[in-house]
């Protein structure tokens, strides 16, 4: 079957396309760098023509409140309209575990708006909420750095390897639509500050990570249970542990 991966040049999309093609499917990467723009609509109809599944792993180029909201609303509306025209049978979108819990986070609010558009459409869908990727530790540190100090809360996380996210998405592509939300997480809970501390140390980064529960997370406060799957969510747990991933990386 033909699968179109929107955001197919990014961390998740590029590997997902490769994994699906290795299984004998016709997976096509679509992104602005490849002439397909979900915000302007450029190349979208042609890219989706004849596709059975669309995987939306798009990401906003800006985290500014209005810009990120506009991106996800415009992109998702365009994608859903063209997917309906193409007769797409399954729309899969990558979202974030706990996206509906932390208050005041503009990016999370925009992702919720995206989810609501997908849920309100007529296309069968699966929303995959994943926890923070191991690969994002550097970005989290960057946003929390003052001089040589990184201030982060001890809020629990359950980070996951991007490769495990790609593997899970392959399974969801090949399965029937859930018409709901599924959670995907790494195997271990760890405080945000400790996650970044271990990651920076492994990378030879000498910045000091200080636990500060007043510190925000991408502009919003986060309570301790906000970024891990709810106890009753039946989350899919990925196999890769942080220490093993850091040792390989």
């Amino acid at each position: 079957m033909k699968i179109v991966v929107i955001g197919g040049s990014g961390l998740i999309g590029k590997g997902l396309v490769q994994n699906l093609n290795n299984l004998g499917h016709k997976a096509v990467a679509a992104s602005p760098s490849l002439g397909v723009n979900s915000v302007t609509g450029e190349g979208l109809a042609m890219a989706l023509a004849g596709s059975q599944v669309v995987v939306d792993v798009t990401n906003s180029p800006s985290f500014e409140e209005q810009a990120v909201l506009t991106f996800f609303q415009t992109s998702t509306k365009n994608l859903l309209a063209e997917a309906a025209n193409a007769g797409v049978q399954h729309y899969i979108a990558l979202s974030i575990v706990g996206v509906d819990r932390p208050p005041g986070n503009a990016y999370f609010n925009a992702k919720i708006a995206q989810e609501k558009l997908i849920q309100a459409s007529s296309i069968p869908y699966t929303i995959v909420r994943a926890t923070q990727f191991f690969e994002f530790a550097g970005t989290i540190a960057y946003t929390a750095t003052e001089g040589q100090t990184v201030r982060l809360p001890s809020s629990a996380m359950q980070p996951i390897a991007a490769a495990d996210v790609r593997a899970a998405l392959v399974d969801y592509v090949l399965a029937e639509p859930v018409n709901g939300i599924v959670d995907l997480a790494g195997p271990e809970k760890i405080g945000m500050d400790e996650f970044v501390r271990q990651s920076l140390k492994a990378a030879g980064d000498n910045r000091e990570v200080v636990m500060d529960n007043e510190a925000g997370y991408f502009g919003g406060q986060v309570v301790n249970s906000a970024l891990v799957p709810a106890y009753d969510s039946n989350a899919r747990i990925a196999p890769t542990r942080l220490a093993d991933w850091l040792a390989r990386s």
Side-chain angles (χ1 to χ4, degrees):
M1 60 180 170
K2 180 182 176 182
I3 304 124
V4 180
V5 180
I6 309 294
S9 298
L11 173 65
I12 299 299
K14 187 174 182 179
L16 177 60
V17 168
Q18 183 176 2
N19 289 352
L20 288 165
N21 282 329
N22 288 344
L23 291 173
H25 298 286
K26 183 182 179 182
V28 178
S31 68
S33 63
L34 298 172
V36 181
N37 192 314
S38 60
V39 174
T40 66
E42 177 190 0
L44 206 52
M46 184 176 295
L48 268 58
S51 60
Q52 287 77 48
V53 180
V54 168
V55 185
D56 182 357
V57 291
T58 54
N59 198 12
S60 173
S62 170
F63 283 20
E64 189 274 326
E65 183 173 7
Q66 188 56 53
V68 69
L69 180 62
T70 298
F71 173 88
F72 280 115
Q73 287 183 325
T74 305
S75 173
T76 306
K77 286 177 182 177
N78 288 341
L79 284 168
L80 289 169
E82 292 299 346
N85 290 338
V88 166
Q89 301 162 16
H90 192 181
Y91 192 102
I92 301 171
L94 184 61
S95 191
I96 307 166
V97 164
V99 71
D100 52 348
R101 288 178 240 161
N105 187 308
Y107 189 89
F108 280 30
N109 291 340
K111 292 295 287 184
I112 284 291
Q114 177 193 33
E115 289 187 2
K116 288 180 177 178
L117 288 168
I118 295 166
Q119 291 167 323
S121 78
S122 61
I123 303 171
Y125 70 92
T126 301
I127 294 172
V128 182
R129 288 181 176 177
T131 52
Q132 288 68 33
F133 305 160
F134 292 154
E135 289 85 350
F136 286 173
T139 301
I140 295 172
Y142 173 79
T143 64
T145 295
E146 299 174 0
Q148 288 297 305
T149 301
V150 182
R151 296 188 178 277
L152 288 168
S154 59
S155 306
M157 303 177 74
Q158 209 163 320
I160 188 171
D164 287 342
V165 176
R166 292 190 289 265
L169 285 173
V170 168
D171 290 344
Y172 290 120
V173 165
L174 302 181
E176 293 297 313
V178 171
N179 289 318
I181 296 169
V182 294
D183 281 356
L184 173 63
E188 302 166 301
K189 286 185 182 180
I190 186 172
M192 187 186 300
D193 59 327
E194 184 60 20
F195 165 56
V196 172
R197 186 178 293 112
Q198 291 186 25
S199 300
L200 294 184
K201 182 179 179 181
D205 191 317
N206 294 323
R207 280 177 290 176
E208 179 186 12
V209 179
V210 174
M211 189 273 285
D212 181 356
N213 284 329
E214 297 301 315
Y217 176 65
F218 287 98
Q221 295 299 309
V222 56
V223 296
N224 189 51
S225 61
L227 300 176
V228 298
Y231 72 93
D232 58 350
S233 71
N234 294 317
R236 172 171 170 160
I237 303 301
T240 307
R241 296 181 177 275
L242 176 60
D244 296 332
W245 184 85
L246 289 174
R248 291 198 301 266
S249 299

